[in-house]
Amino acid sequence: MKTLILIIVSAVFVNNFVLSRFLGICPFLGVSKRIKTAGGMSAAVIFVMTMASAATWLFYSHVLVRFHLEYLQTVTFILVIAALVQVVETVLLKMSPTLYRALGIYLPLITTNCAVLGVAVLNIQKQYNLIQTTVFGFGAAVGFGFAMMIFSGIRERMELCDTPVPLKGTAIGLVTAGLLSLAFMGFTGLVKQ
Amino acid sequence: MLTAVIALSALALVSSLLLAMVARAFAVPSNPKVEEIEGALPGANCGGCGLPGCGELARRIADGKADIDSCPVGGERVAQMIALIMGKSYAGGLVRKVAFILCGGDDQVAAKRFYYNGVRDCTSAAILFGGDKACQYGCMGLGTCEGVCPFDAMHMLPTGLPEVEPVKCTACGKCVAACPKHIIKLVPVDKRLHILCSSHDRGAKVRKICAVGCIGCTKCVKEGPEGAIAMQNNLAVVNYDFDIPDTVAAVCPMNTIRAISLDGSGDNAGVKAAAGGGV
């Protein structure tokens, strides 16, 4: 239990996927203009990353290890995650149209995102077991959502401010992301890992 | 090398088979009309209809939840195409809509709670305790709508309320979406009677903070044709499907209801004077 809590805290704050590991930068910059879209994206990321972690771990330990194909890890993980998201999307459309409409447009967008693949690869590298893997995937995604909400909140307010013309839009967004990342460096040392 | 190729092909085959099976098992019967309607719509996803995109509007129209002339950009031509798809008749004569601010509380008649000295933008002001106006539903008068109007149809008056130039307004809906108080509505240009208030506060509170707010006395509801004006949570709301005689405006004790000609077919001078320019 203690390890699991440590895994979550470490994934959310110390090794935040976006702000410390610099994974998942494109949705971080792309859909962070409004808090609402950022929320939808974060929910989709939490959904996919938790699922993908568990699925790729199972795939790795039951298929790749058995056939001694570990070197195919990266390529096969992309395939497995893509197929998984597609299947879930189809099922969701039938079973829960409301959830589909809330997550729908974001699901295909993050299928082949580096954050999703990153969490799958990290799980194997860290030699987690299934529960730890799922918790790490969930925690990493929550960290992503956390960064996303902060960033979109700042961006929404910043849009109203008098930004110098050459810095308007993405430029000031990148500067802000850098400062935010610096701020997150403050969490280093919170968890020794 | 060969093992890798075989393994990947096998994996691809298995996952595609799985996808095909799932797609068949969980197939959702979709309404073919939705796609046809979406094809007829402009496809700009501008949000002028008030929905997230053309796809959503197409779905609503196919379900009968939205009118066939809901797309303000496509206008009559698109409405006729959709009518054809839906098997409905479209009489034509789509009445042009214009943006209209449902608030009459300018700086002379509406109280303020504090002095706002922040960024000159309504969205920004609304984040701070819902704005400086004592009325939380009222126009804050910082001119965000004026800034987003691509047609120069919106101007801030010195009294602190924006004014729409009906001739220039194309009902694109940008100001409607930009207003953090949601008090700008698209209204048919040929209707004359409007209720210049969006406050759902109780009458006693409205009286204290605004001289022209709707106090929910329901006099206009009784005076107007059946169903033309309805009470919605302490606020009288005009149903623009009806033609309401100008005389109804006279019964309003707060002078909230005004007869205003948007298409330039009448005299507005008297109205403007009475409203302190707050139209």
Side-chain angles (χ1 to χ4, degrees):
Chain A
M1 197 59 210
K2 202 179 148 206
T3 11
L4 294 186
I5 292 172
L6 271 182
I7 286 176
I8 287 201
V9 173
S10 135
V12 174
F13 296 107
V14 186
N15 296 313
N16 187 291
F17 255 53
V18 182
L19 299 171
S20 303
R21 289 192 198 275
F22 307 112
L23 289 168
I25 295 291
C26 61
F28 183 65
L29 289 171
V31 287
S32 58
K33 282 210 175 120
R34 291 266 160 273
I35 290 184
K36 215 179 138 202
T37 47
M41 188 52 149
S42 309
V45 168
I46 293 176
F47 192 73
V48 170
M49 261 164 90
T50 314
M51 234 170 37
S53 299
T56 49
W57 189 89
L58 286 173
F59 180 76
Y60 182 84
S61 47
H62 290 287
V63 181
L64 291 187
V65 172
R66 177 183 292 180
F67 296 111
H68 304 291
L69 290 169
E70 288 92 339
Y71 57 93
L72 284 177
Q73 180 187 316
T74 313
V75 183
T76 50
F77 277 8
I78 294 176
L79 245 168
V80 169
I81 295 170
L84 180 76
V85 173
Q86 276 299 314
V87 167
V88 170
E89 207 189 341
T90 322
V91 175
L92 222 53
L93 183 61
K94 175 88 175 178
M95 308 301 266
S96 165
T98 338
L99 192 60
Y100 176 78
R101 226 163 289 154
L103 301 180
I105 34 170
Y106 304 111
L107 280 183
L109 280 178
I110 43 161
T111 311
T112 46
N113 188 271
C114 53
V116 182
L117 184 66
V119 79
V121 174
L122 276 174
N123 282 326
I124 308 302
Q125 260 176 27
K126 286 177 184 263
Q127 298 182 324
Y128 283 149
N129 63 29
L130 181 58
I131 296 169
Q132 285 172 330
T133 294
T134 319
V135 169
F136 180 69
F138 177 75
V142 169
F144 175 87
F146 184 58
M148 203 66 179
M149 297 320 278
I150 298 177
F151 192 51
S152 59
I154 295 176
R155 272 188 105 170
E156 254 191 18
R157 281 158 181 74
M158 209 158 52
E159 213 163 81
L160 310 168
C161 297
D162 192 15
T163 320
V165 178
L167 285 175
K168 269 212 163 80
T170 315
I172 194 81
L174 281 167
V175 173
T176 317
L179 290 175
L180 208 56
S181 167
L182 272 179
F184 261 70
M185 293 293 169
F187 286 117
T188 321
L190 195 67
V191 178
K192 289 259 171 3
Q193 222 186 14
Chain B
M1 159 66 182
L2 194 65
T3 3
V5 171
I6 293 170
L8 274 180
S9 321
L11 181 64
L13 192 70
V14 169
S15 31
S16 51
L17 276 178
L18 184 76
L19 273 179
M21 263 154 54
V22 170
R24 182 157 296 181
F26 291 92
V28 179
S30 69
N31 192 342
K33 278 180 184 166
V34 175
E35 270 171 43
E36 279 183 54
I37 294 172
E38 204 174 341
L41 289 170
N45 294 320
C46 68
C49 52
L51 295 169
C54 293
E56 187 63 29
L57 180 64
R59 214 167 298 129
R60 297 268 176 107
I61 293 176
D63 291 347
K65 285 184 195 150
D67 295 331
I68 50 173
D69 56 0
S70 298
C71 178
V73 179
E76 217 161 306
R77 200 180 55 84
V78 168
Q80 257 154 7
M81 280 158 74
I82 295 173
L84 215 64
I85 298 166
M86 292 294 288
K88 282 186 189 162
S89 63
Y90 178 65
L94 180 77
V95 175
R96 200 168 69 85
K97 288 189 170 182
V98 291
F100 190 78
I101 293 98
L102 293 182
C103 177
D106 60 32
D107 291 343
Q108 293 162 8
V109 296
K112 293 204 170 181
R113 287 186 294 168
F114 56 85
Y115 175 63
Y116 176 73
N117 196 19
V119 181
R120 307 302 290 168
D121 180 278
C122 298
T123 320
S124 178
I127 293 171
L128 194 73
F129 307 117
D132 57 352
K133 270 263 166 76
C135 171
Q136 58 163 316
Y137 302 95
C139 171
M140 293 175 291
L142 296 173
T144 296
C145 48
E146 183 187 29
V148 297
C149 180
F151 303 101
D152 192 31
M154 214 144 201
H155 301 288
M156 291 306 296
L157 297 172
T159 48
L161 282 185
E163 182 189 44
V164 178
E165 276 185 65
V167 183
K168 287 186 186 167
C169 180
T170 63
C172 68
K174 284 231 164 70
C175 52
V176 177
C179 179
K181 297 287 183 185
H182 310 292
I183 54 173
I184 306 181
K185 293 266 159 14
L186 298 177
V187 302
V189 78
D190 62 338
K191 295 290 188 284
R192 289 175 52 85
L193 211 74
H194 306 282
I195 295 179
L196 295 186
C197 184
S198 302
S199 169
H200 291 290
D201 280 332
R202 290 184 166 277
K205 188 179 177 193
V206 175
R207 260 183 204 283
K208 267 185 213 152
I209 55 179
C210 182
V212 293
C214 173
I215 52 170
C217 67
T218 72
K219 272 187 185 156
C220 54
V221 179
K222 290 163 195 151
E223 183 75 14
E226 181 82 30
I229 301 177
M231 293 305 294
Q232 287 176 10
N233 201 0
N234 295 320
L235 173 69
V237 179
V238 174
N239 183 343
Y240 285 105
D241 292 341
F242 288 83
D243 281 312
I244 308 169
D246 286 1
T247 47
V248 175
V251 302
C252 181
M254 300 295 282
N255 197 17
T256 313
I257 310 183
R258 312 242 174 83
I260 301 156
S261 161
L262 293 174
D263 53 4
S265 67
D267 176 30
N268 283 340
V271 177
K272 261 193 189 167
V279 179

